[in-house]
Coordinates of all heavy atoms in Angstrom, one line a residue:
E298 N 3.8 -2.9 17.7 CA 4.4 -3.1 16.4 C 5.8 -3.7 16.6 O 6.6 -3.2 17.4 CB 4.5 -1.9 15.6 CG 3.2 -1.1 15.4 CD 2.3 -1.6 14.3 OE1 2.9 -2.0 13.3 OE2 1.1 -1.7 14.4
G299 N 6.1 -4.8 15.9 CA 7.3 -5.4 16.0 C 8.4 -4.8 15.0 O 8.0 -3.9 14.2
A300 N 9.6 -5.2 15.2 CA 10.6 -4.7 14.3 C 10.4 -5.1 12.8 O 9.8 -6.2 12.6 CB 12.0 -5.2 14.7
G301 N 10.8 -4.3 11.9 CA 10.6 -4.6 10.5 C 9.1 -4.4 10.0 O 8.8 -4.9 9.0
R302 N 8.4 -3.6 10.8 CA 7.0 -3.3 10.4 C 6.8 -1.8 10.4 O 7.5 -1.1 11.1 CB 6.0 -3.9 11.4 CG 5.9 -5.4 11.4 CD 4.9 -5.9 12.4 NE 4.0 -6.9 11.9 CZ 4.4 -8.1 11.5 NH1 5.7 -8.4 11.5 NH2 3.6 -9.0 11.1
W303 N 5.8 -1.3 9.6 CA 5.5 0.1 9.7 C 4.8 0.4 11.0 O 4.0 -0.4 11.5 CB 4.5 0.4 8.6 CG 5.1 0.4 7.2 CD1 4.8 -0.5 6.2 CD2 6.0 1.3 6.7 NE1 5.6 -0.2 5.1 CE2 6.3 0.9 5.3 CE3 6.6 2.4 7.1 CZ2 7.2 1.6 4.5 CZ3 7.5 3.1 6.3 CH2 7.8 2.7 5.0
D304 N 5.2 1.5 11.6 CA 4.6 2.0 12.8 C 3.4 2.8 12.4 O 3.4 3.9 12.1 CB 5.6 2.9 13.6 CG 5.0 3.3 14.9 OD1 3.8 3.0 15.2 OD2 5.7 4.0 15.7
L305 N 2.2 2.1 12.4 CA 1.0 2.7 11.9 C 0.5 3.9 12.7 O -0.2 4.8 12.2 CB -0.1 1.7 11.9 CG 0.1 0.5 10.9 CD1 -1.0 -0.5 11.0 CD2 0.4 0.9 9.5
S306 N 1.0 4.1 13.9 CA 0.7 5.3 14.7 C 1.3 6.5 14.2 O 0.8 7.6 14.5 CB 1.1 5.1 16.2 OG 2.5 5.1 16.3
K307 N 2.3 6.4 13.3 CA 2.9 7.6 12.7 C 2.3 8.1 11.4 O 2.6 9.1 10.9 CB 4.4 7.3 12.5 CG 5.1 6.9 13.7 CD 6.6 7.2 13.7 CE 7.3 6.7 14.9 NZ 7.4 7.6 15.9
F308 N 1.3 7.3 10.9 CA 0.6 7.7 9.7 C -0.6 8.5 10.1 O -1.2 8.3 11.1 CB 0.2 6.4 8.9 CG 1.4 5.8 8.3 CD1 2.1 4.8 8.9 CD2 1.8 6.2 7.0 CE1 3.2 4.1 8.3 CE2 2.9 5.6 6.4 CZ 3.6 4.6 7.0
P309 N -1.1 9.4 9.1 CA -2.2 10.2 9.4 C -3.5 9.4 9.6 O -3.6 8.3 9.1 CB -2.4 11.1 8.2 CG -1.3 10.7 7.2 CD -0.5 9.6 7.8
K310 N -4.4 10.0 10.4 CA -5.7 9.3 10.7 C -6.8 10.2 10.0 O -6.6 11.4 9.8 CB -6.0 9.3 12.2 CG -4.9 8.7 13.0 CD -4.9 7.2 12.9 CE -3.8 6.6 13.8 NZ -3.1 5.5 13.3
D311 N -7.9 9.5 9.6 CA -9.0 10.2 9.0 C -9.9 10.8 10.1 O -9.5 10.7 11.3 CB -9.8 9.3 8.1 CG -10.4 8.1 8.8 OD1 -10.5 8.1 10.0 OD2 -10.9 7.2 8.0
S312 N -11.0 11.4 9.8 CA -11.9 12.0 10.8 C -12.5 11.0 11.8 O -12.9 11.4 12.9 CB -13.0 12.7 10.1 OG -13.8 11.8 9.3
K313 N -12.5 9.7 11.4 CA -13.0 8.7 12.4 C -11.8 8.1 13.2 O -12.1 7.2 14.0 CB -13.6 7.5 11.6 CG -14.8 8.0 10.8 CD -15.4 6.8 10.0 CE -16.5 7.3 9.1 NZ -16.9 6.2 8.2
G314 N -10.6 8.6 13.0 CA -9.5 8.1 13.8 C -8.9 6.9 13.3 O -8.1 6.2 13.9
E315 N -9.2 6.5 12.0 CA -8.7 5.3 11.4 C -7.5 5.7 10.5 O -7.4 6.7 9.9 CB -9.7 4.6 10.6 CG -10.9 4.1 11.5 CD -12.0 3.4 10.7 OE1 -11.7 3.0 9.5 OE2 -13.0 3.2 11.3
T316 N -6.6 4.7 10.4 CA -5.4 5.0 9.5 C -5.8 5.3 8.1 O -6.7 4.6 7.5 CB -4.5 3.7 9.6 OG1 -4.1 3.5 10.9 CG2 -3.2 3.9 8.7
V317 N -5.1 6.3 7.5 CA -5.3 6.6 6.1 C -4.4 5.6 5.3 O -3.2 5.8 5.2 CB -5.0 8.0 5.7 CG1 -5.2 8.3 4.2 CG2 -5.9 9.0 6.6
W318 N -5.0 4.5 4.8 CA -4.2 3.4 4.2 C -3.5 3.8 3.0 O -2.4 3.2 2.6 CB -5.1 2.2 4.0 CG -5.6 1.6 5.3 CD1 -6.8 1.7 5.8 CD2 -4.8 0.9 6.2 NE1 -6.8 1.1 7.0 CE2 -5.6 0.6 7.3 CE3 -3.4 0.6 6.3 CZ2 -5.1 -0.1 8.4 CZ3 -3.0 -0.1 7.4 CH2 -3.8 -0.4 8.5
D319 N -4.0 4.8 2.2 CA -3.2 5.2 1.0 C -1.9 5.7 1.4 O -0.9 5.5 0.6 CB -4.0 6.3 0.3 CG -5.1 5.8 -0.6 OD1 -5.0 4.6 -1.0 OD2 -6.1 6.5 -0.9
T320 N -1.7 6.4 2.5 CA -0.3 6.8 2.9 C 0.6 5.7 3.3 O 1.8 5.7 3.0 CB -0.4 7.8 4.1 OG1 -1.0 7.2 5.2 CG2 -1.2 9.1 3.7
V321 N 0.0 4.6 3.8 CA 0.9 3.4 4.1 C 1.3 2.8 2.8 O 2.4 2.4 2.6 CB 0.1 2.4 5.0 CG1 0.9 1.2 5.3 CG2 -0.4 3.1 6.3
I322 N 0.3 2.7 1.9 CA 0.6 2.1 0.6 C 1.7 2.9 -0.1 O 2.7 2.4 -0.7 CB -0.6 1.9 -0.3 CG1 -1.6 0.9 0.4 CG2 -0.3 1.5 -1.7 CD1 -3.0 0.8 -0.2
D323 N 1.5 4.3 -0.1 CA 2.5 5.1 -0.7 C 3.9 4.9 -0.1 O 4.9 4.9 -0.9 CB 2.1 6.6 -0.6 CG 0.9 7.0 -1.4 OD1 0.6 6.3 -2.4 OD2 0.3 8.0 -1.1
A324 N 4.0 4.8 1.2 CA 5.3 4.6 1.9 C 5.9 3.3 1.5 O 7.1 3.2 1.2 CB 5.1 4.7 3.4
E325 N 5.1 2.2 1.3 CA 5.7 0.9 1.0 C 6.1 1.0 -0.5 O 7.2 0.4 -0.8 CB 4.6 -0.2 1.2 CG 5.1 -1.5 0.8 CD 6.3 -2.0 1.6 OE1 6.6 -1.5 2.6 OE2 6.9 -3.0 1.1
I326 N 5.4 1.6 -1.4 CA 5.8 1.8 -2.8 C 7.1 2.5 -2.9 O 8.0 2.1 -3.6 CB 4.7 2.5 -3.6 CG1 3.5 1.6 -3.8 CG2 5.2 2.9 -5.0 CD1 2.3 2.2 -4.4
A327 N 7.2 3.6 -2.1 CA 8.5 4.4 -2.1 C 9.6 3.6 -1.6 O 10.8 3.6 -2.1 CB 8.3 5.7 -1.3
R328 N 9.4 2.8 -0.5 CA 10.4 1.9 0.1 C 10.9 0.9 -1.0 O 12.1 0.7 -1.2 CB 9.9 1.2 1.3 CG 11.0 0.3 2.0 CD 10.4 -0.5 3.1 NE 9.6 -1.6 2.6 CZ 10.2 -2.8 2.3 NH1 11.5 -2.9 2.4 NH2 9.5 -3.8 1.8
R329 N 10.0 0.3 -1.7 CA 10.3 -0.7 -2.7 C 11.1 -0.1 -3.8 O 12.0 -0.7 -4.4 CB 9.1 -1.5 -3.1 CG 8.6 -2.4 -2.0 CD 7.3 -3.1 -2.4 NE 6.8 -3.9 -1.3 CZ 6.3 -5.1 -1.4 NH1 6.1 -5.6 -2.6 NH2 5.8 -5.7 -0.3
K330 N 10.7 1.1 -4.3 CA 11.4 1.7 -5.4 C 12.8 2.1 -5.0 O 13.7 2.0 -5.8 CB 10.6 3.0 -5.8 CG 9.4 2.7 -6.7 CD 8.8 4.0 -7.2 CE 7.6 3.7 -8.0 NZ 6.9 4.9 -8.5
M331 N 13.0 2.6 -3.7 CA 14.3 2.9 -3.2 C 15.2 1.6 -3.2 O 16.3 1.7 -3.6 CB 14.2 3.5 -1.8 CG 15.5 4.0 -1.3 SD 16.2 3.3 0.2 CE 15.0 2.3 1.0
L332 N 14.6 0.5 -2.8 CA 15.4 -0.7 -2.7 C 15.7 -1.2 -4.1 O 16.8 -1.9 -4.3 CB 14.6 -1.8 -1.9 CG 14.6 -1.5 -0.4 CD1 13.7 -2.6 0.3 CD2 16.0 -1.6 0.2
E333 N 14.9 -1.0 -5.1 CA 15.2 -1.4 -6.5 C 16.3 -0.6 -7.0 O 17.2 -1.1 -7.7 CB 14.0 -1.2 -7.4 CG 12.9 -2.3 -7.2 CD 11.7 -2.0 -8.2 OE1 11.9 -1.3 -9.2 OE2 10.7 -2.6 -7.9
A334 N 16.3 0.7 -6.7 CA 17.4 1.6 -7.2 C 18.7 1.5 -6.5 O 19.8 1.5 -7.1 CB 16.9 3.1 -7.1
T335 N 18.6 1.2 -5.2 CA 19.8 1.1 -4.3 C 19.6 -0.1 -3.4 O 19.2 0.1 -2.3 CB 20.0 2.4 -3.5 OG1 19.9 3.5 -4.3 CG2 21.3 2.4 -2.8
P336 N 19.9 -1.3 -3.8 CA 19.7 -2.5 -3.0 C 20.5 -2.4 -1.7 O 21.7 -1.9 -1.7 CB 20.2 -3.6 -3.8 CG 20.1 -3.1 -5.2 CD 20.4 -1.6 -5.2
I337 N 19.9 -2.7 -0.6 CA 20.5 -2.7 0.7 C 20.5 -4.2 1.2 O 19.4 -4.8 1.2 CB 19.8 -1.8 1.7 CG1 19.8 -0.4 1.1 CG2 20.4 -1.8 3.1 CD1 18.8 0.6 1.9
A338 N 21.6 -4.6 1.6 CA 21.6 -6.0 2.2 C 20.8 -6.1 3.5 O 20.8 -5.1 4.3 CB 23.1 -6.4 2.4
S339 N 20.1 -7.2 3.7 CA 19.4 -7.3 4.9 C 20.2 -8.2 5.9 O 21.1 -8.9 5.5 CB 18.0 -8.0 4.6 OG 18.2 -9.3 4.1
R340 N 19.8 -8.1 7.1 CA 20.5 -8.8 8.2 C 19.5 -9.7 8.9 O 18.4 -9.2 9.1 CB 21.2 -7.9 9.2 CG 22.2 -7.0 8.5 CD 22.8 -6.0 9.5 NE 21.7 -5.5 10.4 CZ 21.8 -4.5 11.2 NH1 23.0 -3.9 11.3 NH2 20.8 -4.0 11.9
N341 N 19.9 -10.8 9.3 CA 19.0 -11.7 10.1 C 18.7 -11.0 11.4 O 17.6 -11.3 12.0 CB 19.7 -13.0 10.4 CG 19.7 -13.9 9.1 OD1 18.9 -13.7 8.2 ND2 20.6 -14.8 9.0
E342 N 19.5 -10.2 12.0 CA 19.3 -9.5 13.3 C 18.2 -8.4 13.1 O 17.6 -8.0 14.1 CB 20.5 -8.9 13.8 CG 21.6 -9.9 14.1 CD 22.5 -10.2 12.9 OE1 22.6 -9.4 12.0 OE2 22.9 -11.4 12.8
D343 N 17.9 -8.0 11.9 CA 17.0 -6.9 11.7 C 16.0 -7.3 10.6 O 16.1 -6.6 9.5 CB 17.7 -5.6 11.4 CG 16.8 -4.4 11.4 OD1 15.7 -4.4 12.0 OD2 17.2 -3.3 10.9
P344 N 15.2 -8.3 10.7 CA 14.4 -8.7 9.6 C 13.2 -7.8 9.3 O 12.8 -7.0 10.1 CB 13.8 -10.1 10.1 CG 13.7 -9.9 11.6 CD 14.9 -9.0 12.0
V345 N 12.8 -7.8 8.0 CA 11.6 -7.1 7.6 C 10.5 -8.1 7.6 O 10.5 -9.0 6.8 CB 11.8 -6.4 6.2 CG1 10.5 -5.8 5.8 CG2 13.0 -5.5 6.3
N346 N 9.6 -7.9 8.5 CA 8.4 -8.9 8.7 C 7.1 -8.3 8.2 O 6.1 -8.8 8.5 CB 8.3 -9.3 10.1 CG 9.5 -10.0 10.6 OD1 10.0 -10.9 10.0 ND2 10.0 -9.6 11.8
W347 N 7.2 -7.2 7.4 CA 6.0 -6.6 7.0 C 5.3 -7.4 5.9 O 5.9 -8.0 5.1 CB 6.2 -5.2 6.4 CG 5.0 -4.4 6.2 CD1 4.2 -3.8 7.1 CD2 4.4 -4.2 4.9 NE1 3.2 -3.2 6.5 CE2 3.2 -3.4 5.2 CE3 4.7 -4.5 3.6 CZ2 2.4 -3.0 4.2 CZ3 3.8 -4.1 2.6 CH2 2.7 -3.3 2.9
D348 N 4.0 -7.5 6.1 CA 3.2 -8.3 5.2 C 2.0 -7.5 4.6 O 1.4 -6.7 5.3 CB 2.6 -9.5 6.0 CG 1.8 -10.5 5.1 OD1 1.8 -10.3 3.9 OD2 1.3 -11.5 5.6
T349 N 1.8 -7.6 3.3 CA 0.8 -6.8 2.7 C -0.6 -7.0 3.3 O -1.5 -6.2 3.1 CB 0.7 -7.0 1.2 OG1 0.6 -8.4 0.9 CG2 2.0 -6.5 0.5
S350 N -0.8 -8.1 3.9 CA -2.1 -8.4 4.5 C -2.4 -7.5 5.7 O -3.5 -7.5 6.2 CB -2.2 -9.9 4.9 OG -1.4 -10.2 6.0
E351 N -1.4 -6.8 6.2 CA -1.7 -5.8 7.3 C -2.6 -4.7 6.8 O -3.2 -4.0 7.7 CB -0.3 -5.3 7.8 CG 0.5 -6.4 8.5 CD 1.8 -5.9 9.1 OE1 1.9 -4.7 9.4 OE2 2.7 -6.7 9.1
I352 N -2.6 -4.4 5.5 CA -3.5 -3.4 5.0 C -4.8 -4.1 4.6 O -4.7 -5.1 3.9 CB -2.8 -2.7 3.8 CG1 -1.5 -2.0 4.2 CG2 -3.8 -1.8 3.1 CD1 -0.8 -1.3 3.1
P353 N -5.9 -3.5 5.0 CA -7.2 -4.2 4.7 C -7.4 -4.4 3.2 O -7.0 -3.6 2.4 CB -8.2 -3.2 5.2 CG -7.5 -2.4 6.2 CD -6.1 -2.3 5.8
T354 N -8.0 -5.5 2.8 CA -8.3 -5.8 1.4 C -9.0 -4.7 0.7 O -8.7 -4.3 -0.4 CB -9.1 -7.1 1.3 OG1 -8.3 -8.1 2.0 CG2 -9.3 -7.5 -0.1
W355 N -10.0 -4.1 1.4 CA -10.8 -3.0 0.7 C -9.9 -1.8 0.3 O -10.1 -1.2 -0.7 CB -11.9 -2.5 1.6 CG -11.5 -1.9 2.9 CD1 -11.5 -2.5 4.1 CD2 -11.1 -0.6 3.1 NE1 -11.0 -1.7 5.1 CE2 -10.8 -0.5 4.5 CE3 -10.9 0.5 2.3 CZ2 -10.3 0.7 5.1 CZ3 -10.4 1.7 2.9 CH2 -10.2 1.8 4.2
A356 N -8.8 -1.6 1.1 CA -7.9 -0.5 0.8 C -7.1 -0.7 -0.5 O -6.9 0.2 -1.3 CB -6.9 -0.2 1.9
W357 N -6.7 -2.0 -0.7 CA -6.0 -2.4 -1.9 C -6.9 -2.3 -3.1 O -6.5 -1.8 -4.2 CB -5.4 -3.8 -1.8 CG -4.3 -4.0 -0.9 CD1 -4.3 -4.7 0.3 CD2 -3.0 -3.5 -1.0 NE1 -3.1 -4.6 0.9 CE2 -2.2 -3.9 0.1 CE3 -2.3 -2.8 -2.0 CZ2 -0.9 -3.7 0.2 CZ3 -1.0 -2.5 -1.9 CH2 -0.3 -3.0 -0.7
I358 N -8.2 -2.8 -2.9 CA -9.1 -2.8 -4.0 C -9.4 -1.3 -4.4 O -9.4 -1.0 -5.6 CB -10.4 -3.5 -3.6 CG1 -10.1 -5.0 -3.5 CG2 -11.5 -3.3 -4.6 CD1 -11.2 -5.8 -3.0
K359 N -9.7 -0.5 -3.4 CA -10.0 0.9 -3.7 C -8.8 1.6 -4.4 O -9.0 2.4 -5.4 CB -10.3 1.6 -2.4 CG -10.6 3.1 -2.5 CD -10.9 3.7 -1.1 CE -10.2 5.0 -1.1 NZ -9.4 5.4 0.0
R360 N -7.6 1.3 -4.0 CA -6.4 2.0 -4.6 C -6.1 1.5 -6.0 O -5.8 2.3 -6.8 CB -5.3 1.7 -3.6 CG -3.9 2.2 -4.1 CD -3.9 3.8 -4.1 NE -2.6 4.2 -4.5 CZ -1.7 4.7 -3.8 NH1 -1.8 4.7 -2.5 NH2 -0.5 5.1 -4.3
F361 N -6.1 0.2 -6.2 CA -5.6 -0.4 -7.4 C -6.6 -0.9 -8.4 O -6.3 -1.0 -9.6 CB -4.6 -1.4 -7.1 CG -3.3 -0.9 -6.5 CD1 -3.1 -1.1 -5.2 CD2 -2.5 -0.1 -7.2 CE1 -2.0 -0.6 -4.6 CE2 -1.3 0.4 -6.6 CZ -1.1 0.2 -5.3
H362 N -7.8 -1.2 -8.0 CA -8.8 -1.9 -8.9 C -9.9 -0.9 -9.3 O -10.3 -0.9 -10.4 CB -9.3 -3.1 -8.2 CG -8.3 -4.2 -8.0 ND1 -7.8 -4.9 -9.1 CD2 -7.6 -4.6 -6.9 CE1 -6.8 -5.7 -8.6 NE2 -6.7 -5.5 -7.3
L363 N -10.4 -0.1 -8.4 CA -11.5 0.8 -8.7 C -11.1 1.8 -9.8 O -11.9 2.0 -10.7 CB -12.1 1.4 -7.5 CG -12.8 0.5 -6.5 CD1 -13.4 1.2 -5.3 CD2 -13.8 -0.3 -7.2
P364 N -10.0 2.5 -9.7 CA -9.7 3.5 -10.8 C -9.6 2.8 -12.2 O -10.1 3.3 -13.1 CB -8.3 4.0 -10.4 CG -8.3 3.9 -8.9 CD -9.0 2.6 -8.6
E365 N -9.0 1.6 -12.2 CA -8.9 0.9 -13.5 C -10.3 0.5 -14.0 O -10.6 0.5 -15.2 CB -8.0 -0.3 -13.4 CG -6.5 0.0 -13.4 CD -6.1 0.7 -14.7 OE1 -6.5 0.3 -15.8 OE2 -5.5 1.8 -14.6
A366 N -11.1 0.0 -13.0 CA -12.5 -0.3 -13.4 C -13.2 0.8 -14.0 O -13.9 0.7 -15.0 CB -13.2 -0.9 -12.2
E367 N -13.0 2.0 -13.4 CA -13.7 3.2 -14.0 C -13.2 3.5 -15.4 O -14.0 3.8 -16.2 CB -13.4 4.4 -13.1 CG -14.3 4.5 -11.9 CD -15.7 4.8 -12.3 OE1 -16.0 5.6 -13.1 OE2 -16.6 4.1 -11.7
K368 N -11.9 3.4 -15.6 CA -11.4 3.6 -16.9 C -11.9 2.6 -17.9 O -12.3 3.0 -19.0 CB -9.8 3.5 -16.9 CG -9.2 4.7 -16.2 CD -7.7 4.5 -16.2 CE -7.0 5.5 -15.3 NZ -5.6 5.2 -15.2
L369 N -12.0 1.4 -17.6 CA -12.5 0.3 -18.5 C -14.0 0.6 -18.7 O -14.5 0.4 -19.9 CB -12.3 -1.1 -17.9 CG -10.8 -1.5 -17.9 CD1 -10.7 -2.8 -17.1 CD2 -10.3 -1.7 -19.3
N370 N -14.8 0.9 -17.7 CA -16.2 1.2 -17.9 C -16.4 2.4 -18.8 O -17.3 2.4 -19.7 CB -16.9 1.4 -16.5 CG -17.0 0.1 -15.7 OD1 -17.0 -1.0 -16.3 ND2 -17.1 0.3 -14.5
G371 N -15.6 3.4 -18.6 CA -15.7 4.6 -19.5 C -15.4 4.2 -20.9 O -16.1 4.7 -21.9
R372 N -14.3 3.4 -21.2 CA -14.0 3.0 -22.5 C -15.0 2.2 -23.1 O -15.4 2.3 -24.3 CB -12.6 2.3 -22.5 CG -11.5 3.2 -22.2 CD -10.2 2.4 -22.4 NE -9.1 3.2 -21.8 CZ -8.3 2.7 -20.9 NH1 -8.3 1.5 -20.5 NH2 -7.3 3.5 -20.4
A373 N -15.6 1.3 -22.3 CA -16.6 0.4 -22.9 C -17.9 1.2 -23.2 O -18.5 1.0 -24.3 CB -17.0 -0.7 -21.8
A374 N -18.2 2.2 -22.5 CA -19.4 3.1 -22.8 C -19.1 3.9 -24.0 O -20.0 4.0 -24.8 CB -19.6 4.0 -21.6
M375 N -17.9 4.3 -24.2 CA -17.6 5.1 -25.4 C -17.6 4.3 -26.7 O -18.0 4.7 -27.7 CB -16.2 5.8 -25.3 CG -16.2 6.9 -24.4 SD -14.6 7.8 -24.4 CE -13.5 6.6 -23.8
M376 N -17.3 3.0 -26.5 CA -17.3 2.1 -27.7 C -18.7 1.4 -27.9 O -18.9 0.7 -28.9 CB -16.3 1.0 -27.5 CG -14.8 1.5 -27.4 SD -13.5 0.4 -27.0 CE -14.0 -1.2 -27.4
G377 N -19.6 1.7 -27.0 CA -21.0 1.2 -27.3 C -21.3 -0.1 -26.7 O -22.3 -0.8 -27.1
Y378 N -20.5 -0.6 -25.8 CA -20.8 -1.9 -25.2 C -21.8 -1.8 -24.0 O -21.8 -0.9 -23.3 CB -19.5 -2.6 -24.7 CG -18.6 -3.1 -25.8 CD1 -17.5 -2.3 -26.2 CD2 -18.9 -4.2 -26.5 CE1 -16.7 -2.8 -27.2 CE2 -18.1 -4.7 -27.5 CZ -17.0 -3.9 -27.9 OH -16.2 -4.4 -28.9

């Protein structure tokens, strides 16, 4: 892992030994909220090179799209669609 990236070895693993991506997403959300509340100047010597594509697409979909889809499907069923 390079500088400015999450060290994925420090995040919990599931029973198959794979990274629990929700914890990585939680950490990135917390980091961004902290930076919004208390902006910290960045330096060229210590760049942040983290890219959201490091997290598999299915983890983003599971985290952000499936719960909303369930809510929408539930609402549609209640309204008779």
Side-chain angles (χ1 to χ4, degrees):
E298 303 276 324
R302 290 183 136 63
W303 288 110
D304 182 355
L305 297 178
S306 69
K307 302 206 186 265
F308 288 92
K310 308 284 185 217
D311 63 16
S312 60
K313 297 177 185 174
E315 296 179 14
T316 302
V317 178
W318 293 108
D319 279 336
T320 59
V321 180
I322 293 170
D323 289 341
E325 181 60 18
I326 289 170
R328 183 187 77 82
R329 289 177 185 218
K330 281 185 180 179
M331 187 244 344
L332 288 173
E333 283 180 21
T335 313
I337 299 170
S339 61
R340 303 177 312 193
N341 287 337
E342 297 83 31
D343 191 18
V345 176
N346 296 316
W347 190 74
D348 185 0
T349 56
S350 67
E351 292 179 30
I352 296 177
T354 303
W355 63 261
W357 290 110
I358 291 170
K359 181 180 135 222
R360 175 69 181 260
F361 293 107
H362 297 285
L363 293 182
E365 281 302 310
E367 276 297 315
K368 289 178 189 173
L369 290 173
N370 289 336
R372 288 187 193 128
M375 286 189 293
M376 293 173 25
Y378 288 101

